[in-house]
Amino acid sequence: MALIVHKYGGTSMGSTDRIRNVAKRVAKWARAGHQMVVVPSAMSGETNRLLGLAKELSPASSSPALMRELDMIAATGEQVSVGLLAIALQAEGLESVSYTGWQVPVATDSSYTKARIESIDDKRVRADLAAGKVVVITGFQGIDEHNNITTLGRGGSDTSAVAIAAAMKADECLIYTDVDGVYTTDPRVVPEARRLKSISFEEMLEMASLGSKVLQIRSVEFAGKYRVPLRVLSSFTAWDIDINEEAKSGTLITFEEDENMEQAVVSGIAFNRDEAKVTLLGVPDKPGIAFQILGPVAEANIDIDVIIQNVSHDGKTDFSFTVHRNDYQRTLELLEKTVAPATGAAKVMGDPRICKVSIVGIGMRSHVGVASKMFRSLSEEGINIQMISTSEIKTSVVIDEKYMELAVRALHRAFDLDQPAT
Ligand code: ADP
Ligand code: ASP
Ligand code: MG
């Protein structure tokens, strides 16, 4: 008997028929003798719908008071899902009970809309499992020390599932979704993308942080920290396929490098449309200038991603960086009103229509010329690179948003990702 955590995403929970299917699949696992904890997301479209209602009433605000209410509202989507799934499981003849984040409780910090899980008390859940029940727990949400409801950021149900699996030392956490595993890139953008049988934890971490939303990055961080056996697989196979076959399907996240395996230089391509670029022109090039520019940005709680500073001419330089697109207007205002006057910059410019495309692979550690191959392939498509950022196992470029799909396809081909793995 094993303790297994299943997570089902919004599309997998998208209708009562689909919820019935989820219940049948979970029932199959329970009847095979496993203790089952299930973490579903809100039904597809529901979180957007709920947040849309709030936006109708207050389009511009991002005050802490408003953020608190956003979490209050968004958390209800998952509450509906757990209740429906518990009913569907009962209809399958299983004993089942559902809990929201605060009932478990899943304790988080107080950063509304992007809270971090601090601890999970599994007493109540363990007692139910011991009594033979299937326990259904909301994804995406928790409670802070003042009993406020919090949510974990978009895609956060992945993190709930892995954190619960970690806290309960589950034997495995299975992330069921609308594709049958992790692909070399988003199969919706590149139809030739291939499913990876396994992917190293480090590569998955980079892919997630660079925009592959198949797993929320914090879920990968949890899996790494607590060594949670983690697999991504399809919820759209027939629910009654052989359980042993199902258990081996999809993509396994691995923690040990297999030295015998021929390692592809590039394993995957990620992209992210959520960023915007801002530039300060003609700033005096002198010690402390980067801090004078980025200090106020950090103080305003705006995350910075790629940064570039040009060589100076006549003691002046240009300084660009990217921020999340949601923070674009706020950043421009801050630069215009505060930073430009304080630094003596000549002009502030911005471009929200950019994207970041990245190649990822642990094979990049031991190969040279990977980045230049990337740049060549983009130049052959006539794509201008605006910014570059590299680390040991990834190279990212910022380009015009309109070339995103072209760039991803070209790189996918250039690095032979559409060829069967050797
Ligand atoms: P869920 O609702 O199940 O959490 P998501 O929409 O959050 O599902 O994540 C699954 C989606 O992630 C897929 O439908 C796919 O379009 C997208 N995706 C992006 N990059 C990848 C990738 N490298 N491999 C697989 N799917 C990817
Ligand atoms: N329902 C939440 C969202 O849409 C959480 C999730 O699906 O993981 O972001
Ligand atoms: Mg998701």
Side-chain angles (χ1 to χ4, degrees), residues 7 39-42 47-48 51 67 70-72 74-75 78 106 108-117 138-143 149-161 213 215-219 222 274 303 324 326:
K7 180 261 172 177
V39 179
S41 294
T47 309
N48 286 344
L51 294 174
M67 304 298 258
L70 289 184
D71 280 1
M72 193 72 157
E78 269 70 11
V106 175
T108 73
D109 65 18
S110 304
S111 337
Y112 300 119
T113 76
K114 51 181 178 199
R116 283 181 178 271
I117 296 179
T138 49
F140 186 49
Q141 58 176 269
I143 187 163
I149 289 174
T150 54
T151 69
L152 310 180
R154 299 308 302 269
S157 297
D158 298 331
T159 302
S160 306
K213 66 166 186 164
L215 285 177
Q216 196 201 37
I217 178 160
R218 285 189 189 159
S219 71
F222 260 105
D274 295 338
D303 286 331
H324 195 283
N326 292 344

